[in-house]
Structures are given as structure tokens and as C-alpha cells.
Amino acid sequence: MAQQLQAVVWTGTGVRVIDQTRLPGQLVYLDIDTVDELVAAIRRLSVRGAPALGVAGALGVVVAMRQADREGWSAGELARAIDRLRGARPTAVNLAWAVDQVAPLMPDGAAVLAAALRIQEQDAAANRAIGRLGADWLQARLRRPALRVLTHCNAGALATSAWGTALGIVRELHERTVLEVVYVDETRPLLQGARLTAWELAQAGIPHLVQVDAAAAGTVVGGLVDVAIVGADRVAANGDIANKVGTLGIALACQYAQVPFLVAAPESTVDLGTASGASIRIEMRDDEEVLVVAGQRSAPAESRAHNPAFDITPARLVTALVTEQRVLAIAAGQVPAGTNTR
Amino acid sequence: MAQQLQAVVWTGTGVRVIDQTRLPGQLVYLDIDTVDELVAAIRRLSVRGAPALGVAGALGVVVAMRQADREGWSAGELARAIDRLRGARPTAVNLAWAVDQVAPLMPDGAAVLAAALRIQEQDAAANRAIGRLGADWLQARLRRPALRVLTHCNAGALATSAWGTALGIVRELHERTVLEVVYVDETRPLLQGARLTAWELAQAGIPHLVQVDAAAAGTVVGGLVDVAIVGADRVAANGDIANKVGTLGIALACQYAQVPFLVAAPESTVDLGTASGASIRIEMRDDEEVLVVAGQRSAPAESRAHNPAFDITPARLVTALVTEQRVLAIAAGQVPAGTNTR
């Protein structure tokens, strides 16, 4: 069932996304045929995950063109709408990258749509390749018959076009019967780990334990974990990683405990135009995400929040980057160009 | 107002505690005159914090003696009730320590009560001394006119008998007008940071920002913090620290970023009978604390949790331990005996 799951699909007239804010309680789809609806869905994280944002962005260009036709927009109005879409979330590089891949094909609507669907197909194929390469790498290096994995946030089917990136490796290990258990960080404030990753693992029958994010360091240092595997929203040219806030803490614990720390992401996440993590813009989100927990205010009315959505993990803490093409030890230095289309 | 706050008081006939599970929404007191009620209040964290648990435990021996009188208990029944109280939570050493301080004075009820109240007075005095020593140490070492502090969980008035330990230092810095802001980790699963620490700081007019626990590493490594200050539930003879889960991750980030990591705790928290962190029993709590967030289930029904209440921070990650007697650099090795009563 989890393999049929599609976070983003083209219906023929618009984009259909799973409303990830409603999981795991309800599996609700949103049919979207305007740019404003799509931008809002991206901002509130109904659709999320760097590779899925790329697909949504590319298909969103088709949505924009159809809306422009329907509503008689000028070329300037269309360009501004596509810019809004391109910048709906700033940290994941895939969104802007995918828009930039397909937008030059305008005004040929069929070509734009074909290019967007090709991005989706390539991402699905990349997921499976990442799973195989990552599992091969782990099986060659680790000495336990079955591995105990820690992951953070959701880098699964819901974040991509197929099996997921980090969870693609987890699913592959499970298929090879060499997976013991997955420690799932709940991933506050929006609980993508507890709500989405645990849901995907439950659907796939993969044993897992949900923990508060603050438990991750103790789980790693306490010897309960053989490898940590996370996704990435952007990989800089020097190998620094932007990913969901909390990733850095896991990497620090892995370094301390000498546990491998793997980053799984398609080549489209590698941004050779960004020199290092210092130049990655970190999205700051609303106070209420932190201060209102499941509808109830946690802190006093006077309190404000500090709410970065991401953090930067320095390259030297990353044991290896797993893409659809390679398993690259980036702790040492620069990321050489892959064969992606940039 | 915060200075008048008393987490635990003796009413003349029983123990009155603030029900900390109701804060910050409501300030509700519980009047307790049976051992079972007190054990239940301790287990559900209505009363919590290592020093406050010590006071509650010592006064609880008086509660037990009075209940034994009222209900005609045998000596064996009384001893078993005191054992239940002593073991209500296993990780904080202060609870068992305080019970052991006063229980030998039985059956002299007045002597037991006097000894319990003395523990409370000494803890209040210790809070102020910790605040002064910690603030002195920081002012002598740090070069900024006003300090940015990170703290985790609640080591404040609600956890102690007066100003708090970690928050005692924060309050002292604020009184000296050398405090800029406090980053408050919300401290999942029970949100003692967002609910209790933010409330204490708001009451005292101290500027603060609440963040998810997963943000702590990025806040420290990103240069936003001059010092991290936490409390402790137990300090082993080699200087290893047991404290609220998440403490280890902060210590690792501080080590990486070369930011001082201070542990503030009274001498009664130092347990020379525990050789190292490896022999500290970590309390594992119910799955539901993690999986049910503000009354709503976060993860799928099939998911289980891993829910340790504490973690162990190795001594070599601790810049200094601040007690009412000394500021001790313990990263180097053993904790010498203080002048506490053990």
C-alpha cells in the first residue's frame, strides 16, 4: 500500500496532493488548480519534502499557465505568479530548481507538462537507486545481522515521488531482511516524524519506536543505533547540509559516538551554486507553531518563540551523501559535480 | 511574585504542592495528607525537580507517620509506605537522600518535621548561593556586556525551594542587569520548559524565547548563545550528570562550538556512591507521554515509543558544576567530596 502512495499527482486538470497536515488521522486529498492555493498548501506544509516540492513546483508552472489562460493574465502577471511559487519556501533548493527547469519551455504547455512529469519519474527512479546504493554501502560496512536506524523528520514517500530517500534506504534494508528497528524522532514542531514517518513505517509493517527529538543524542550515544539516515533540503558545494531543525544535533551525537551519519538525497538537491551552509537562507516560521501544541497554548501569553525550520550540518560531520549516482564521503571536502542537469 | 512562589510547603497538617501539570494555564494547589496521593503526585510530575522532590520526600515521611497514626498501621506498613515514597522516581538522587536524612529520626515526629524543614531552608539558601557563584564565574569569564543563556527543562523556583538552580543563576544575572535573553527549550514530552520555565521568566519579566528542543544545537552552534545552564538530577562521583532527556545533546553542541556548559545543582545532588553515569538508573516512562500530544494522538495506533526521562552527560562535556559551595571544573576528573552531609 505504501508503494502506491503518491504525495503529488497530475490529474489532467490540476495538481492533487495529500494534505499532510491531516495525517495520520485522515488521508485527505486536495485538488489544486490555482497558484495561490498551491503556494498556501506549500507554506502550511500540506505538501512538503524537498523532492516532492520540486515536483509540485514544476507541475505548478502548468497550473499557472492554465490559470493565466482562464483568467486572461498578462505575461507579467504570469511571471509574478511563477516567482511567488518559486519562492514559496526558501530553503529546499528543489522547488526553485524544478521551476527553473520547466519554465523556459513556456509557452509550450505540453512541453512544460512533459518536463514536469519527467522530473517526477526521475525522482521515483532516484529513490530506488538511493535505496539500493545506501543499503549496499551499509551492508558492506556494518557487522550486525540486522540494523538499528535513527531518522528525523520525513524523508519518505510523502516527501518524494516514490519510496523516499532516507526511508528508501530503510525500506530497502527491510526488504533485504536486515532491518531491526527504526528510531523515529517525532520532529517538533509539526511532528512529521510521529505523524508521517511512523505512518509510512506502520503501513509498510516496519518495526519502529517514536521518540522525542531530545532523546536522539542519548539513543545514539547509548549504543542503541547503528546508523542515522536523514534527507536534505539543500547540499552546498562544500558538503554542508541544510535539513529539518534537529539534524545537526543528531550529527554531533553520531560524531561523538562514532556512528555513521548518512544523508540521502537526489542529485537535484546538490546546489553547486551555494558555496557553503553559511549562504543558505534558513526559513524562520511563525511563533505559533511552537507555542500552540495541538490547539492548546503551551507557554504563557507573554512568551515569544525562536522557530527556525532548518539547521546547517557542517560537511565534516557527514559520513556520506547517498544520491542516485554515488555514495560520496563528503567529510573530506568539496562535492564534485554529478551528472545532474545543472 | 516569582520569589514568593513555593513549589512545596508544609501546612501544619500536610504537604501543599503547586500542581505543575496545570501550569501555565492555572495555578492550582494540591493539599496532600496520604502517602499514596504524594507518590501519585510525584509520578505524574505535579511536583518535580530534584531539590523539590527532596523536600517533598522529607515532608512525606511526616505525612506517612501521621497517616500511620490515623489508620493504625503496623511498623511494617509504615516502613513499606516510606519505601514506596523513597522509590517513587528513581533517577533524582535527592528524593531518596532526603528520605534517608529524616527517617532515622522516627518515631520522633517533631524531629522528623524539623529536619525536613531544615532541608527546605538549606535548599533555599543553596539556591541563592548557586546564583551568586554562577553569576560571578560567568561575569569573570565572558566578554559580552549582556549574556545570552540557553536552558532546558525547569531548574527554577518550581523545581526547588526558592530561586532555582540554573534559573537561580539566570535570575542573579538579570538582577545584575547583565542578562540579554534566555533561549528556553520547550522540553518534550511534558513541556516543562515552555510551561514552567517560560512562566517563571515571564513572571520575573526576564526576556526569553521558547524553542523546540531540536533547535538547541543550531542555536548554540550558530553563535546565538554565550552559555548553557542546566540543573541535574544526579551527579556521579566521576562528574557524569543525569538530567532531563536532551541535556546531552546541548552539551555536545556546546563542546563543538566551544560554549561553556554549566550544571547548577546543590551538593545534595552529588552522589559519591554512584561511580559513574553507567550505574545511574534511567527512568523509562509511558509511551503515551510521547504519542499523545495535548490530548491528541500524534502517531498511528500501531506505533510504540521509546521514552527515557533522562540522559547521561559525560563529565568531560561539563565545563563546570556550580553548587552552593563551589564552582568545580569537573571535565578533568573526579568530584571531590564537598561538605554536604553524606
Side-chain angles (χ1 to χ4, degrees):
Chain A
M1 169 166 180
Q3 284 163 258
Q4 296 158 6
L5 192 74
Q6 285 258 269
V8 183
V9 292
W10 180 252
T11 62
T13 58
V15 174
R16 178 173 294 161
V17 304
I18 295 175
D19 184 353
Q20 299 189 30
T21 66
R22 309 285 290 276
L23 287 171
Q26 293 171 290
L27 181 56
V28 175
Y29 292 88
L30 302 175
D31 280 307
I32 292 173
D33 63 1
T34 71
V35 172
D36 284 351
E37 285 174 280
L38 184 55
V39 167
I42 290 171
R43 290 218 173 114
R44 72 172 173 263
L45 278 54
S46 288
V47 54
R48 45 147 297 282
L53 285 173
V55 174
L59 291 172
V61 175
V62 186
V63 168
M65 291 174 69
R66 292 172 62 101
Q67 188 178 6
D69 267 356
R70 243 178 13 246
E71 302 184 3
W73 290 355
S74 68
E77 285 173 310
L78 176 57
R80 281 191 294 277
I82 290 173
D83 271 357
R84 272 206 316 286
L85 176 62
R86 190 181 184 282
R89 293 193 71 200
T91 305
V93 70
N94 313 60
L95 175 57
W97 170 82
V99 169
D100 292 345
Q101 289 278 306
V102 305
L105 301 172
M106 293 196 295
D108 182 345
V112 172
L113 177 59
L117 295 174
R118 205 157 49 237
I119 287 174
Q120 187 169 35
E121 280 158 29
Q122 286 169 350
D123 185 49
N127 285 181
R128 296 305 293 260
I130 288 169
R132 284 190 298 270
L133 287 172
D136 288 350
W137 190 91
L138 284 167
Q139 283 194 282
R141 270 157 195 80
L142 295 173
R143 294 288 160 266
R144 282 173 65 94
L147 301 179
R148 302 159 308 166
V149 176
L150 182 145
T151 192
H152 189 74
C153 198
N154 174 267
L158 291 165
T160 62
S161 305
W163 260 32
T165 51
L167 289 193
I169 299 175
V170 165
R171 289 174 191 271
E172 183 74 24
L173 292 169
H174 179 66
E175 287 221 331
R176 297 182 188 183
T177 68
V178 293
L179 180 73
E180 184 176 320
V181 68
V182 183
Y183 287 90
V184 178
D185 283 357
E186 63 174 3
T187 317
R188 281 277 293 149
L190 296 180
L191 298 171
Q192 292 94 335
R195 293 191 303 106
L196 308 181
T197 295
W199 184 75
E200 285 195 38
L201 295 176
Q203 297 275 326
I206 296 177
H208 63 279
L209 294 165
V210 178
Q211 63 185 5
V212 297
D213 305 316
T219 303
V220 170
V221 173
L224 299 180
V225 168
D226 301 302
V227 59
I229 315 177
V230 299
D233 287 79
R234 190 179 296 230
V235 180
N238 74 338
D240 290 352
I241 304 287
N243 192 45
K244 177 57 57 193
V245 68
T247 301
L248 170 60
I250 298 164
L252 288 166
C254 285
Q255 186 199 43
Y256 185 82
Q258 295 290 297
V259 166
F261 177 82
L262 295 194
V263 175
E267 290 287 337
S268 58
T269 311
V270 178
D271 180 12
L272 297 178
T274 296
S276 78
S279 16
I280 297 176
R281 179 174 153 213
I282 298 292
E283 177 186 3
M284 299 298 292
R285 293 181 59 88
D286 282 351
D287 283 18
E288 280 57 39
E289 280 187 356
V290 176
L291 301 177
V292 180
V293 180
Q296 293 174 31
R297 180 136 182 133
S298 58
E302 302 91 320
S303 299
R304 299 294 312 271
H306 172 63
N307 187 18
F310 303 92
D311 60 25
I312 303 293
T313 299
R316 66 176 173 285
L317 299 178
V318 179
T319 310
L321 170 68
V322 183
T323 77
E324 67 274 30
Q325 294 175 10
R326 48 190 175 164
V327 180
L328 183 65
I330 60 174
Q334 295 292 113
V335 179
T339 60
N340 68 328
T341 47
R342 289 161 193 261
Chain B
M1 169 164 180
Q3 285 165 256
Q4 297 157 6
L5 192 75
Q6 285 259 269
V8 184
V9 292
W10 180 252
T11 62
T13 58
V15 174
R16 177 172 295 159
V17 304
I18 294 175
D19 184 353
Q20 299 189 30
T21 66
R22 308 285 288 275
L23 286 171
Q26 294 172 287
L27 182 56
V28 175
Y29 292 89
L30 302 175
D31 279 306
I32 292 173
D33 63 1
T34 71
V35 172
D36 285 350
E37 284 174 280
L38 184 56
V39 168
I42 288 172
R43 289 218 174 116
R44 73 173 171 260
L45 278 54
S46 288
V47 54
R48 46 147 295 282
L53 286 173
V55 174
L59 291 172
V61 175
V62 186
V63 168
M65 291 173 69
R66 293 172 61 100
Q67 188 178 7
D69 266 358
R70 241 174 20 241
E71 302 183 3
W73 289 356
S74 68
E77 285 173 310
L78 176 58
R80 280 191 295 278
I82 290 173
D83 271 356
R84 271 205 318 284
L85 176 63
R86 190 180 184 283
R89 293 193 70 200
T91 305
V93 69
N94 314 59
L95 175 57
W97 170 82
V99 169
D100 293 345
Q101 289 278 303
V102 306
L105 302 172
M106 294 196 296
D108 182 346
V112 172
L113 177 59
L117 295 175
R118 203 156 50 238
I119 287 174
Q120 188 170 35
E121 282 159 28
Q122 286 169 350
D123 184 49
N127 286 182
R128 297 305 294 258
I130 287 169
R132 284 190 298 269
L133 286 172
D136 289 350
W137 189 91
L138 283 167
Q139 283 194 281
R141 272 159 194 78
L142 295 173
R143 294 288 161 265
R144 283 174 64 94
L147 300 179
R148 302 159 307 166
V149 176
L150 182 145
T151 192
H152 188 75
C153 198
N154 174 267
L158 291 165
T160 63
S161 304
W163 260 33
T165 52
L167 289 193
I169 299 175
V170 165
R171 290 174 190 272
E172 183 74 25
L173 291 170
H174 179 67
E175 287 222 331
R176 296 183 188 184
T177 69
V178 293
L179 180 73
E180 183 176 321
V181 67
V182 183
Y183 287 90
V184 178
D185 284 356
E186 63 173 3
T187 317
R188 281 276 295 149
L190 297 180
L191 298 171
Q192 291 95 336
R195 294 190 303 106
L196 308 181
T197 295
W199 184 74
E200 285 195 37
L201 295 176
Q203 297 275 326
I206 296 177
H208 62 280
L209 293 165
V210 178
Q211 63 185 5
V212 296
D213 305 316
T219 303
V220 170
V221 173
L224 299 180
V225 168
D226 301 302
V227 58
I229 315 177
V230 299
D233 288 80
R234 189 179 297 229
V235 180
N238 73 339
D240 290 351
I241 304 287
N243 192 45
K244 178 57 57 191
V245 69
T247 301
L248 170 60
I250 298 164
L252 288 166
C254 286
Q255 187 199 43
Y256 185 81
Q258 296 292 295
V259 166
F261 177 83
L262 295 194
V263 175
E267 290 287 337
S268 58
T269 310
V270 179
D271 180 12
L272 297 178
T274 297
S276 78
S279 17
I280 297 176
R281 179 176 153 212
I282 299 292
E283 178 186 4
M284 300 298 292
R285 293 180 60 88
D286 282 351
D287 284 17
E288 280 59 37
E289 280 188 355
V290 175
L291 301 177
V292 180
V293 179
Q296 293 175 31
R297 180 139 182 130
S298 58
E302 302 91 321
S303 300
R304 299 294 311 273
H306 173 63
N307 187 18
F310 303 93
D311 60 24
I312 303 292
T313 299
R316 66 176 172 284
L317 300 178
V318 179
T319 310
L321 170 68
V322 183
T323 77
E324 67 274 32
Q325 294 175 11
R326 48 188 175 167
V327 180
L328 184 65
I330 61 174
Q334 295 293 115
V335 179
T339 61
N340 68 329
T341 49
R342 289 155 190 260

